[in-house]
C-alpha cells in the first residue's frame, strides 16, 4: 500500500497492547472519512437556505471518496463507498442512483490508479478529478433530462461541477492533515 | 475459510457487483420513481426533529440580527411604521366597506356560499430542491388529510402543489420548478395562460392569447381547475425581454418558513347531459364466444346469403 508507509516510525517492533478501547479507537479513525460524508449529507439536507447546499453534498462526497480511495484504501473500501452513496441518495432528491454510481466510478478510477496518483503532483490530481467531476455532473444532467423527458439547461450541472472542483483544495488540505492525525488508525 | 485465490477473486468482484447494484437503482428510479421518493420521505420524516434542532441556532441568530438592525434605526423605523399604519387603516376601511357591499350583493343575488377549504399549517423541514428541481418538504404532523394536488400558500400567495404525501411530511413542488405548469388568469387583460417554471426565480407565462398579450404589472391569479380554486394570488407580470413575460411571485420562494396546505376537495360536479347527446351502448366483451345460436337451424330466413327474400 502507499499511504501505510507514510508513518514508518510507528511500525516498530514494539506495538501498543491491543485492547478493546484501542480497537474501537482504530475503527473510529478508519471510519472517519465515511462518517464525514454521512454527517455532511445529513447536515446539508437541513433547511439552512444556503445557496448550493445540494451541490455541496455531491462535491464533498466526491472529494472524500477520491482522496481516501487512493490515499488510504483501507479507510474507504468499496462497500463503505456504496453505503455512503446510499446515504447521500436518501438525503438528496436528485435522480435516483446518479450520485451512487458516480461515487463508485470515481472510487474505481482512484483505487485502480492509486500508485500512479500518489506519485502525481497536486495539480495533476486536481485536473484528473476535475474531468471526472464534470463527467459525473453531465451524467446526472443526462439522467434528469431522461426523467423530465425534456432538454433541460446544463448550467446547474456545470455549477455543481465548478463547486466540486472549487472545494477540492481546501478539503484535500483537511484530509492530508486528518490522515496524519485524527483519521490515522496507527495513532490510536 | 476461503483460499487466498478465492479471496482475491471475491475482492475484485465486489466493485463490479456494487456498480451493477447502482445501475439497478438508476433503472429503478426510471421505472418506479415513487418507490425511491417514498424511502426518501420516510427518512425525512425520521429526521424532522433533528432538522428543527439543526436550524434552531440559525433562526435565533436571524432574530437577533433583525432586533439589532431595528434597534440601530429606531426613529426611521417608527416613522415608516406610522406611515404604513396610516395606509393600512385606510385600506381597512375600504375593505370593510367592500365586504359589506359584497355581502349585500350576494344576498340579493341568492349567492350559494362556497365551501370553506380545510387546511393544515406546516413548517418547512427541508429545502429539497437539488440542482435541477425546486421543492420543499413540510412537516404537517401525523393524522393529516393532505392529498396529492392540494395547493400550498405562504402569507403572501400561491407557491406550489403537493406531489408526494408521507405519514408526517408532504413534498410541495414549487411554481418555479421546471416540471410545474399552473393555469392562471391575468387580472387586467382577462386572458388565460399557463405559468411554466424554468428553475429561475420568476416562472414564465406561456400559451397566452396572441391578441391579448399580458400587461406589465398586472395581477396574476390561479384559474379554477379540479382541486385548484380560482382567484388565488400568484404574483405580477413582468417583462424581462420583449415577448418574454414572466411572473414575479408574491410568495417568497427563496426563503419559505411557514406554509399552509389547502384542500379544496375534488371537483366532483358533473355536467348535465346535453340534449341530443347519444349515450354509446357498450358492446358485450366477447360477442362470439359461444357457438352461434342459429348454427343448428337448417333454414334461417334472416341470415344474409342464405335464402333471404
Amino acid at each position: 500500500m502507499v499511504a501505510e508507509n507514510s508513518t514508518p516510525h510507528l511500525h516498530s517492533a514494539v506495538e501498543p497492547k491491543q485492547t478493546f478501547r484501542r480497537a474501537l479507537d482504530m475503527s473510529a479513525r478508519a471510519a472517519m472519512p465515511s462518517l464525514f460524508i454521512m454527517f455532511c449529507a445529513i447536515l446539508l439536507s437541513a433547511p439552512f437556505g444556503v445557496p448550493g447546499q445540494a451541490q455541496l453534498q455531491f462535491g464533498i462526497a466526491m472529494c472524500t471518496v477520491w482522496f481516501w480511495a487512493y490515499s488510504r484504501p483501507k479507510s474507504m473500501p468499496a462497500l463503505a463507498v456504496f453505503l455512503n452513496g446510499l446515504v447521500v441518495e436518501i438525503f438528496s432528491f436528485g435522480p435516483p442512483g446518479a450520485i451512487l454510481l458516480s461515487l463508485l466510478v470515481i472510487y474505481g478510477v482512484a483505487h485502480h490508479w492509486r500508485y500512479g496518483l500518489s506519485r502525481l503532483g497536486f495539480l495533476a490530481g486536481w485536473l484528473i478529478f476535475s474531468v471526472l467531476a464534470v463527467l459525473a455532473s453531465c451524467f446526472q444532467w443526462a439522467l434528469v433530462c431522461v426523467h423530465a423527458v425534456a432538454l433541460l439547461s446544463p448550467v446547474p450541472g456545470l455549477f455543481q461541477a465548478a463547486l466540486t472542483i472549487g472545494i477540492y483544495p481546501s478539503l484535500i488540505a483537511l484530509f492530508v492533515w486528518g490522515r496524519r492525525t485524527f483519521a490515522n488508525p496507527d495513532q490510536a | 475459510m476461503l483460499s487466498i485465490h478465492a479471496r482475491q477473486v471475491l475482492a475484485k468482484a465486489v466493485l463490479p457487483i456494487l456498480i451493477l447494484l447502482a445501475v439497478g437503482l438508476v433503472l429503478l428510479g426510471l421505472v418506479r420513481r415513487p418507490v425511491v421518493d417514498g424511502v426518501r420521505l420516510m427518512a425525512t420524516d425520521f429526521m424532522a426533529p433533528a432538522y428543527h434542532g439543526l436550524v434552531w441556532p440559525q433562526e435565533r441568530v436571524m432574530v437577533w440580527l433583525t432586533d439589532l438592525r431595528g434597534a440601530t434605526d429606531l426613529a426611521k423605523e417608527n416613522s415608516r411604521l406610522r406611515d404604513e399604519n396610516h395606509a393600512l387603516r385606510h385600506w381597512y376601511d375600504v375593505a370593510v366597506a367592500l365586504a359589506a357591499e359584497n355581502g349585500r350583493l350576494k344576498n340579493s343575488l341568492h349567492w350559494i356560499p362556497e365551501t370553506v377549504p380545510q387546511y393544515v399549517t406546516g413548517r418547512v423541514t427541508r429545502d429539497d430542491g437539488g440542482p435541477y428541481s425546486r421543492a420543499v418538504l413540510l412537516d404537517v404532523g401525523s393524522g393529516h388529510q393532505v392529498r396529492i394536488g392540494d395547493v400550498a400558500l405562504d402569507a403572501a400567495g400561491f407557491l406550489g402543489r403537493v406531489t408526494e404525501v408521507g405519514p408526517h411530511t408532504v413534498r410541495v413542488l414549487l411554481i418555479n420548478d421546471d416540471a410545474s405548469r399552473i393555469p392562471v388568469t391575468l387580472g387586467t387583460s382577462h386572458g388565460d395562460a399557463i405559468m411554466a417554471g424554468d428553475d429561475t426565480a420568476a416562472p414564465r407565462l406561456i400559451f397566452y392569447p396572441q391578441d391579448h398579450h399580458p400587461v406589465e404589472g398586472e395581477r396574476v391569479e390561479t384559474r379554477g381547475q379540479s382541486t385548484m380554486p380560482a382567484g388565488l394570488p400568484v404574483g405580477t407580470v413582468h417583462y424581462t425581454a420583449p415577448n418574454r413575460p414572466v411572473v414575479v411571485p408574491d410568495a417568497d420562494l427563496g426563503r419559505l418558513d411557514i406554509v399552509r396546505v389547502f384542500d379544496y376537495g375534488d371537483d366532483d360536479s358533473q355536467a348535465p347531459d346535453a340534449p341530443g347527446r347519444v349515450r354509446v351502448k357498450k358492446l358485450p366483451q366477447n360477442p362470439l364466444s359461444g357457438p352461434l345460436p342459429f348454427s343448428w337451424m337448417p333454414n334461417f330466413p334472416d341470415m344474409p346469403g342464405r335464402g333471404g327474400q
Side-chain angles (χ1 to χ4, degrees):
Chain A
M1 289 297 155
V2 178
E4 271 71 4
N5 298 329
S6 58
T7 52
H9 59 282
L10 289 174
H11 290 272
S12 61
V14 184
E15 287 279 331
K17 196 181 168 190
Q18 187 68 275
T19 59
F20 175 71
R21 190 179 169 185
R22 183 162 183 266
L24 202 67
D25 193 8
M26 282 177 75
S27 312
R29 283 167 186 265
M32 206 60 86
S34 298
L35 293 176
F36 178 71
I37 294 179
M38 291 184 191
F39 175 74
C40 289
I42 294 170
L43 188 73
L44 289 170
S45 65
F48 293 119
V50 178
Q53 266 184 235
Q55 288 89 338
L56 266 180
Q57 269 184 334
F58 171 83
I60 288 174
M62 288 285 278
C63 288
T64 314
V65 167
W66 171 259
F67 177 82
W68 292 99
Y70 81 77
S71 167
R72 182 180 285 129
K74 277 185 181 171
S75 293
M76 187 58 75
L79 204 60
V81 177
F82 186 78
L83 292 177
N84 287 327
L86 278 184
V87 171
V88 179
E89 285 286 343
I90 286 172
F91 288 99
S92 62
F93 248 91
I99 298 178
L100 177 59
L101 193 56
S102 305
L103 288 183
L104 285 171
V105 168
I106 205 167
Y107 169 81
V109 173
H111 191 256
H112 192 251
W113 289 345
R114 60 188 183 279
Y115 298 109
L117 283 170
S118 304
R119 278 196 296 273
L120 281 178
F122 170 77
L123 281 178
W126 193 9
L127 191 71
I128 296 170
F129 175 78
S130 305
V131 172
L132 290 170
V134 171
L135 287 177
S137 294
C138 288
F139 169 66
Q140 204 175 346
W141 169 74
L143 260 184
V144 173
C145 288
V146 170
H147 274 276
V149 203
L151 196 67
L152 302 176
S153 163
V155 174
L158 294 177
F159 171 66
Q160 177 175 278
L163 197 67
T164 307
I165 296 164
I167 60 168
Y168 180 85
S170 43
L171 275 180
I172 295 302
L174 174 73
F175 294 153
V176 167
W177 174 62
R179 190 181 57 184
R180 280 188 281 111
T181 54
F182 62 87
N184 186 0
D186 295 339
Q187 292 208 341
Chain B
M1 285 295 288
L2 292 169
S3 66
I4 294 173
H5 181 69
R7 264 188 278 172
Q8 281 177 343
V9 169
L10 199 66
K12 280 185 180 171
V14 168
L15 187 62
I17 290 170
L18 293 178
I19 287 179
L20 275 179
L21 285 175
V23 171
L25 183 62
V26 171
L27 294 176
L28 179 72
L30 284 172
V31 295
R32 289 272 187 278
R33 180 72 189 258
V35 175
V36 183
D37 287 347
V39 173
R40 287 168 165 174
L41 267 182
M42 274 168 56
T44 308
D45 271 349
F46 181 72
M47 289 299 294
Y51 286 141
H52 287 316
L54 281 173
V55 297
W56 184 80
Q58 190 198 23
E59 284 173 358
R60 294 309 308 162
V61 169
M62 293 299 282
V63 169
W64 288 337
L65 281 178
T66 312
D67 289 351
L68 198 67
R69 223 170 281 141
T72 52
D73 209 4
L74 270 179
K76 200 174 165 188
E77 186 73 5
N78 266 343
S79 161
R80 189 184 65 80
L81 284 174
R82 226 173 277 128
D83 290 345
E84 203 174 298
N85 206 15
H86 187 71
L88 284 175
R89 272 177 199 280
H90 166 70
W91 282 114
Y92 174 77
D93 293 341
V94 172
V96 168
L98 284 174
E101 187 188 356
N102 206 17
R104 274 200 309 278
L105 290 172
K106 278 184 177 174
N107 205 17
S108 59
L109 286 170
H110 301 290
W111 181 268
I112 299 165
E114 289 165 357
T115 51
V116 180
Q118 300 287 320
Y119 71 90
V120 288
T121 307
R123 187 178 281 273
V124 172
T125 313
R126 182 173 135 188
D127 178 1
D128 120 74
Y132 297 98
S133 66
R134 302 285 176 271
V136 288
L137 292 179
L138 301 183
D139 182 8
V140 288
S142 54
H144 63 81
Q145 301 288 320
V146 177
R147 291 179 299 175
I148 291 173
D150 286 354
V151 296
L153 289 92
D154 75 347
F158 179 69
L159 62 92
R161 303 186 77 173
V162 173
T163 52
E164 273 110 31
V165 177
H168 304 277
T169 313
V170 295
R171 184 168 187 254
V172 175
L173 190 77
L174 300 182
I175 52 175
N176 58 348
D177 184 274
D178 206 75
S180 170
R181 299 284 184 275
I182 305 290
V184 293
T185 303
L186 306 169
T188 312
S189 56
H190 299 295
D192 288 338
I194 295 289
M195 182 175 62
D198 56 358
D199 283 346
T200 61
R204 284 183 302 133
L205 277 177
I206 56 174
F207 301 134
Y208 49 83
Q210 289 305 302
D211 52 343
H212 282 95
H213 280 243
V215 181
E216 172 79 29
E218 74 175 314
R219 298 285 309 153
V220 179
E221 295 173 345
T222 56
R223 180 153 50 85
Q225 188 194 56
S226 66
T227 56
M228 183 148 62
L232 296 177
V234 178
T236 47
V237 175
H238 174 59
Y239 276 86
T240 52
N243 290 324
R244 192 179 165 79
V246 299
V247 179
V248 180
D250 287 340
D252 184 8
L253 299 177
R255 186 80 202 163
L256 292 170
D257 187 18
I258 304 288
V259 172
R260 280 186 295 176
V261 179
F262 286 84
D263 178 15
Y264 284 89
D266 282 331
D267 185 16
D268 49 1
S269 51
Q270 296 278 329
D273 281 346
R277 179 191 280 184
V278 180
R279 203 177 277 277
V280 179
K281 263 191 178 175
K282 275 193 177 172
L283 291 169
Q285 286 291 323
N286 220 349
L288 297 175
S289 56
L292 292 175
F294 43 78
S295 60
W296 51 272
M297 290 184 179
N299 244 340
F300 196 72
D302 288 344
M303 276 182 77
R306 250 215 216 182
Q309 296 299 314

